Structures are given as structure tokens and as C-alpha cells.
Amino acid sequence: MKLINTAAAALMGATCIASAGLAKDCAAPLRQPATEKLMELVVSDTVLKYQLEQSIALGQRINGDPMTNPVASLEDYYHFIDALVTYNPQNIMTGTLNGQTRVSMDGKNYCNWNILDILAYSYFLVDRQLTTDPRGQIQFANDKFGEWMRDIAVEWGNYLETPASAINVPDFTSDPNYATWTSASDPGTSPWYCPPEGGYDTFQAFFTREFCAATFPNGSRPVQGYDDPRTVVAIGDSTSAGRWPISEDGKLVTTYDGVAQSGRVIKGQLYSDVHDFILGGEGETVIESFGSIDPTLFDGGTWTHQFLNVNNYHRLHVPVAGKIVYLKHLQSAVRMKSGWSQAIGEGEVSFYDPRDTADWQFGQTRMVIGIDTGEPHGVVVISPMGMAQVSGIQKRQWVIENAQALKGQEFANFAFGGSDFVVMFEKKAGFVLTVDVLPEEAPGAGVNYTGSLQGEKYGCFGGDPGCSAIPGAANQPPPIPADQ
């Protein structure tokens, strides 16, 4: 990818050494091309100016602390964008969430913010409910602003593929939460990746790190139920957000809960078109396409959704075996839902919370792949979703029409960003989600699932949760470089 030279020059001046704490102020970055473009949009679009000002104001009503919400005006927002596209990912030890994810926010010293905090905050600022329309956030309400958000995602993604972006990678590789994953079947006592000699050349190379060949010689974790066609496995180290029924006319129905500009809570239902999700909707650009699929196959079926956090493994593996019959890579929006979670008890930490609801998968950049498993379970759609600051979804060369996909086979990876995965099943598949549920409820979701490792049993066909979890990895191909 081509780096914008003016941004690269400013990035070098914006970096401060902060891994040992927050003692130093960050150097102010130069005004960036992305910021100048936004300023031009604001001048030419008074509605956008009003929307931004109102979204920022409502954010201040939710959290008025300048150390954790320093953007209180349009000028503050311009300064934030300058810092965002010149940000070197940080992993500073100042506070931890649930003993794992590091939390760091330092007012307008954005180089002292941790990576997930600044990413989630960037969407909190534009995720305020401005109207009573179910999609009343500025991310949905203003198309030009949505296009601009894509531009800054790409600009930041370009930078993360340069050597300068690797300056703080040692802070990540020394953090066990980026090397291990805890689940019921794997306590995470040993690292799953092996840094190359001399370290990672770019932050993107670290973010897309592969399994250690010495530990996983087949390029995959052991695939549970490999020989049982009823078993569906997790596509990557991820957390389930749940399962939802698809209506008989192809709509995903989800509950809706938002707060309007007036502060009034809005509740109801939101209907999203599964057919458009599969085939592409108005205004979405087709990057690559082959094969065909009848979207009505999924009427009355099941929609599932998995979330990958910033510290997770970000390569993707096939959850079922079958023949690839369809692919459509769609470029659309780069949105994310984000709220503020205020600490209320001793030992708790406040943080910006990416709230991963099913309806926010619609209108996102995505790769939709159809896999025909044959009878009796039919076609399964798998769809990696580029959310937030994602510069691409990169598929492997073997993913072509009529190729045979093996369960657990690596087929793509995310570039940097928040990322999700949707899997859809036909009604006749009788899919049952088998992931364990934690006793405490998840904020806004109601159900809190345990994490899943790539290759672990995720669910079963046929309505019976008793499908096999016996691991196997027969004939798995070796790891494939991310650029192939």
C-alpha cells in the first residue's frame, strides 16, 4: 500500500516514549490530510457540522472527564484525528480490565493511550444517537462522513505496514495476553506464536502473526470433530456474540436500544435484510466475485456472530468442510458501536466498550463465502467482517470457485482493526450453538459466552449438541503467507 508522505513525516515527530508510564507529554502532530478533508466537508455541509457538534456534546454528557473524554469541541476533534492517523499502537501498563486488557487514557496526550482505548474512543465520539431513527448515529446518517471514515481507516492502515509502526511491538510481544488464550480446553500456559528472529518488521506483521510451526505444524490448532460432518468449529480465537433466527422472508430481527440527543431512551426492533448481506446492497462496491448463491436458502435459518478482540489471533479458518461455490468481497462502511463503561466499584476500571450487536454487521465491509457441505446440511455462508480501522480482508490463493475447503483450513486474515465473523446456516441444517455460557450477563447483550479457540467445537448440525469434539488435523496444509 502507498503511504501518504506528509502523514509519515508527521508520525515520526508524534511518537513519544511512554511504555514505562505517562510522564511525558506527546508532541503535537502536524495537521493531517485526513483532517483537512474533514474540515472541508464541515465547511460545505452545515448538517454535518451540526451532527458532529451534537454527537460530541452528547458524549460529554455521558462522560465529561477531560482525561478520558478530551474532545469537547470540533477543534478538539480535529486535533484528535491528527493524532489518530499518526498513532503508534501502545500497550502501556497503567490499568487492566478483567486482569487482561490493558487500559490507558491520558487526555489529549493521545500517544499515551492504549490501542483498544483509542480505537473504541474514535467510534464513541460518532456513535451518539442523534434522532429517533433506529440508525440515527452520524455513522449511518451522513454518507460523506462515512466515506471519510473509510479514508482515515485506510490511511492509518497504510502506516501500520511501515517499519516505523513497529516501535512499540516489543511491549505487545512481552505481554502474555497477546500470546496465550484461556478456554475450557486450553488453559493458555504456552504461547501460540513464535516471533521471528529480529522481531516483527511492522505492526501489521505482528497483528497478523501466525501459529508457531513448532507447536502447530499443520498451521492450525487441533480441529475438534474433524471427522464428524455434524461438527462446526470456531473460525479463530474469538468470543461468540450469540445466535439469532432469520425470518421466513430473509430478515434478521434484533432488539434495539439507544439514547437520542434529547436523552430519551428509544427501544424497539430493527430489521436487516439478509439477502442484501449476501448479494450486496445499494452503494456497496464489489471488489471480487465468483459463483452464485440463492439467498432465500437462508430464510428461516440461523445467524451467528463471533467477535475478535485486538489481542486475538487474526487469521481465519474454515468452520466446516465442503465445496466453495460463492464469493463476494464487498467494500462498504467501517463502523463500530462503542459505549462508555464507568467504574463503580473498588478495583474496577473505566473503559470504552466496543458493543458488538448483530445489527451492526449490516453495511460493513465484508467477504461473503458460500460453502456447500452437501446433504443434509446444505450451504453455509461464512463472512469475515472488516469493522473499525480495518485496511483489508486478505484471502488465500486457494480460495477459488469449486475448491474443496477442509475443516480448520486457513482461508484469510484481517488487516489491523476490530473484526467480526458471521456464519449463516440453512433452516434444514438445524444448527445448535454449543459454546458455554458464563453466569454473569454481558452488558447490552444479555448472554455472556466463554471464549473459543480456533478449531474448537462451536456448534452442531442436526439439532443435537452431542456432535464430536475429538481433535484431529488430517491433511491440513502448512501455514500460508499473509500476502497469498
Side-chain angles (χ1 to χ4, degrees), residues 51-126:
Q51 290 170 328
L52 274 173
E53 289 174 337
Q54 294 305 308
S55 188
I56 290 169
L58 187 54
Q60 286 291 315
R61 289 173 57 181
I62 296 170
N63 174 25
D65 180 3
M67 290 301 293
T68 56
N69 186 8
V71 174
S73 67
L74 263 180
E75 191 58 41
D76 289 341
Y77 188 63
Y78 296 149
H79 173 73
F80 172 75
I81 297 303
D82 288 336
L84 180 66
V85 297
T86 60
Y87 170 77
N88 277 311
Q90 284 277 17
N91 188 40
I92 304 167
M93 177 62 86
T94 58
T96 59
L97 178 64
N98 298 328
Q100 294 182 325
T101 306
R102 295 182 179 183
V103 177
S104 176
M105 291 167 272
D106 188 26
K108 292 182 179 179
N109 285 313
Y110 294 112
C111 76
N112 290 337
W113 285 55
N114 274 350
I115 183 170
L116 185 58
D117 300 313
I118 200 167
L119 191 155
Y121 180 56
S122 70
Y123 282 89
F124 170 84
L125 290 168
V126 295

Side-chain angles (χ1 to χ4, degrees), residues 233 235 316-321 371 398 405-411:
V233 299
I235 50 86
L316 307 172
H317 297 248
V318 179
V320 294
I371 301 177
W398 70 265
L406 303 175
K407 191 184 300 183
Q409 186 174 3
E410 184 184 323
F411 74 92

Side-chain angles (χ1 to χ4, degrees), residues 73-309:
S73 67
L74 263 180
E75 191 58 41
D76 289 341
Y77 188 63
Y78 296 149
H79 173 73
F80 172 75
I81 297 303
D82 288 336
L84 180 66
V85 297
T86 60
Y87 170 77
N88 277 311
Q90 284 277 17
N91 188 40
I92 304 167
M93 177 62 86
T94 58
T96 59
L97 178 64
N98 298 328
Q100 294 182 325
T101 306
R102 295 182 179 183
V103 177
S104 176
M105 291 167 272
D106 188 26
K108 292 182 179 179
N109 285 313
Y110 294 112
C111 76
N112 290 337
W113 285 55
N114 274 350
I115 183 170
L116 185 58
D117 300 313
I118 200 167
L119 191 155
Y121 180 56
S122 70
Y123 282 89
F124 170 84
L125 290 168
V126 295
D127 185 34
R128 301 308 95 216
Q129 184 73 34
L130 302 179
T131 72
T132 57
D133 186 290
R135 294 270 169 97
Q137 300 90 347
I138 189 175
Q139 300 182 68
F140 288 103
N142 193 299
D143 290 340
K144 289 183 179 179
F145 184 75
E147 292 172 3
W148 171 81
M149 290 186 74
R150 167 169 296 286
D151 290 343
I152 65 169
V154 172
E155 187 170 331
W156 190 20
N158 286 342
Y159 171 67
L160 295 178
E161 294 185 355
T162 68
S165 70
I167 185 172
N168 298 318
V169 165
D171 292 339
F172 292 90
T173 55
S174 63
D175 183 350
N177 290 306
Y178 281 80
T180 59
W181 181 264
T182 301
S183 76
S185 63
D186 185 341
T189 56
S190 60
W192 54 260
Y193 72 97
C194 298
E197 186 175 352
Y200 293 97
D201 294 335
T202 68
F203 185 82
Q204 193 72 277
F206 165 72
F207 187 78
T208 59
R209 59 202 183 279
E210 63 190 23
F211 285 133
C212 184
T215 308
F216 304 106
N218 293 314
S220 166
R221 296 184 189 274
V223 181
Q224 295 184 355
Y226 184 82
D227 296 316
D228 187 346
R230 300 172 301 159
T231 304
V232 180
V233 299
I235 50 86
D237 294 1
S238 56
T239 302
S240 175
R243 62 179 296 279
W244 292 263
I246 301 170
S247 70
E248 294 294 340
D249 61 349
K251 300 293 190 297
L252 184 70
V253 183
T254 61
T255 57
Y256 176 77
D257 190 353
V259 180
Q261 180 184 316
S262 64
R264 182 168 62 88
V265 175
I266 308 164
K267 293 182 178 289
Q269 290 184 324
L270 186 64
Y271 300 84
S272 299
D273 195 304
V274 170
H275 300 172
D276 284 347
F277 181 93
I278 295 171
L279 301 178
E282 183 179 354
E284 297 182 327
T285 301
V286 178
I287 300 173
E288 181 183 5
S289 179
F290 63 67
S292 62
I293 197 169
D294 178 4
T296 64
L297 288 173
F298 299 92
D299 293 356
T302 301
W303 169 288
T304 69
H305 172 206
Q306 293 161 262
F307 170 72
L308 288 73
N309 209 331

Side-chain angles (χ1 to χ4, degrees), residues 285-352:
T285 301
V286 178
I287 300 173
E288 181 183 5
S289 179
F290 63 67
S292 62
I293 197 169
D294 178 4
T296 64
L297 288 173
F298 299 92
D299 293 356
T302 301
W303 169 288
T304 69
H305 172 206
Q306 293 161 262
F307 170 72
L308 288 73
N309 209 331
V310 69
N311 62 323
N312 289 158
Y313 171 66
H314 269 75
R315 292 176 177 235
L316 307 172
H317 297 248
V318 179
V320 294
K323 184 171 69 173
I324 295 179
V325 295
Y326 176 77
L327 178 141
K328 186 161 283 188
H329 191 176
L330 295 159
Q331 179 178 291
S332 190
V334 285
R335 305 184 181 105
M336 189 170 78
K337 196 174 183 67
S338 183
W340 173 248
S341 181
Q342 180 69 44
I344 57 175
E346 185 178 354
E348 293 187 3
V349 61
S350 300
F351 65 100
Y352 286 102

Side-chain angles (χ1 to χ4, degrees), residues 418-434:
S419 22
D420 285 39
F421 200 93
V422 165
V423 185
M424 274 184 277
F425 304 93
E426 293 188 47
K427 185 177 183 178
K428 67 181 181 181
F431 176 78
V432 178
L433 185 67
T434 59

